[in-house]
Amino acid sequence: MPENATLLPELAIAAQRGVRYIAGIDEVGRGALAGPVSIGVVVLDLTHPTFADTPRSTGVCAQLDGVRDSKLLTAAARKRWHPTICDHVAAYSVQHRHPREIDTLGINGALRAAGLAGLNAVEVQLGVALDAVILDGAHDWLTHGASPRVQTMIKADIKALSVACASVLAKVERDRLMERLAAEHPGYGWDSNRGYGSQGHRTALTELGVTPQHRLSWNLGV
């Protein structure tokens, strides 16, 4: 069974840079045919007792032990963790970029716009600038290397607690949005497939046609 995310990556960055506020960023919905792409941003205050008291040897944060990348949690577990995460982090934001924005900006442009908006939102909440940012993956799609505070990390959503928390918040909020959209556009199964290209979704596209929630610049098969 995969291990829970820990604070070890954040502690390693803090040891190198002497940081206090570190943000984890993760995305949900990149590959969907319908609905938004969503970016979660979660800020940890490493001086807060929740994190300052975390053992440096294990990086296991007692209050958030069990948080994982959203794909490794059940829907029920994600919903349980959502309020706990919100209660323990210093700031958080989930930003959505909707289909027409994705069509206009491209998926990478939409991700960047949502990510930058999320960073701005959490810095407004904090009242100070972030010290460091962890991005999942090997490529800095957020600033294209323009910001030295951004650090990419392969499998950060599995390893880093801040990124795993961001993943959970983004997934829960996007799922809620897709459930509302499913009620507005019945027949596509968005309450279960979340806008991804399941067989049922593709069949509905053929039978019912395209909706305003579909990404028209994508290959929808119709």
Side-chain angles (χ1 to χ4, degrees):
M1 181 175 292
E3 296 180 357
N4 302 329
T6 74
L7 204 62
L8 288 177
E10 289 85 354
L11 293 174
I13 293 172
Q16 296 170 359
R17 306 187 190 180
V19 303
R20 175 180 177 180
Y21 293 112
I22 186 163
I25 298 180
D26 201 21
E27 55 80 19
V28 178
R30 177 196 291 262
L33 303 182
V37 65
S38 303
I39 295 284
V41 183
V42 162
V43 182
L44 307 185
D45 177 358
L46 297 184
T47 68
H48 189 280
T50 296
F51 307 106
D53 295 340
T54 296
R56 268 43 185 171
S57 58
T58 64
V60 175
C61 173
Q63 293 86 343
L64 297 173
D65 185 22
V67 173
R68 300 178 178 179
D69 172 36
S70 64
K71 294 185 293 295
L72 302 177
L73 294 171
T74 64
R78 291 193 295 266
K79 291 177 181 177
R80 287 198 304 269
W81 275 116
H82 187 283
T84 303
I85 291 169
C86 294
D87 286 345
H88 284 89
V89 303
Y92 63 90
S93 175
V94 176
Q95 299 285 327
H96 308 287
R97 289 299 178 270
H98 294 277
R100 295 299 79 79
E101 295 171 283
I102 296 170
D103 291 336
T104 300
L105 300 173
I107 188 62
N108 290 330
L111 285 168
R112 184 171 187 269
L116 292 175
L119 287 182
N120 180 69
V122 296
E123 289 186 330
V124 169
Q125 293 173 41
L126 292 171
V128 297
L130 294 166
D131 298 308
V133 177
I134 301 177
L135 283 184
D136 182 35
H139 172 62
D140 177 5
W141 49 262
L142 185 66
T143 70
H144 302 301
S147 174
R149 67 180 179 171
V150 174
Q151 177 164 327
T152 59
M153 184 181 301
I154 296 173
K155 297 189 182 301
D157 51 355
I158 295 175
K159 300 175 183 176
L161 184 59
S162 61
V163 181
C165 288
S167 172
V168 171
L169 297 194
K171 176 63 173 168
V172 169
E173 295 199 22
R174 185 179 186 276
D175 282 357
R176 288 173 178 167
L177 178 56
M178 293 308 298
E179 288 167 7
R180 293 197 296 271
L181 292 174
E184 296 173 11
H185 301 278
Y188 296 89
W190 294 340
D191 53 337
S192 59
N193 63 47
R194 309 305 187 191
Y196 286 86
S198 68
Q199 184 58 54
H201 188 179
R202 292 187 181 277
T203 298
L205 273 167
T206 301
E207 296 176 351
L208 303 175
V210 173
T211 75
Q213 293 301 328
H214 283 101
R215 303 174 186 180
L216 301 181
S217 57
W218 291 46
N219 181 8
L220 301 176
V222 293

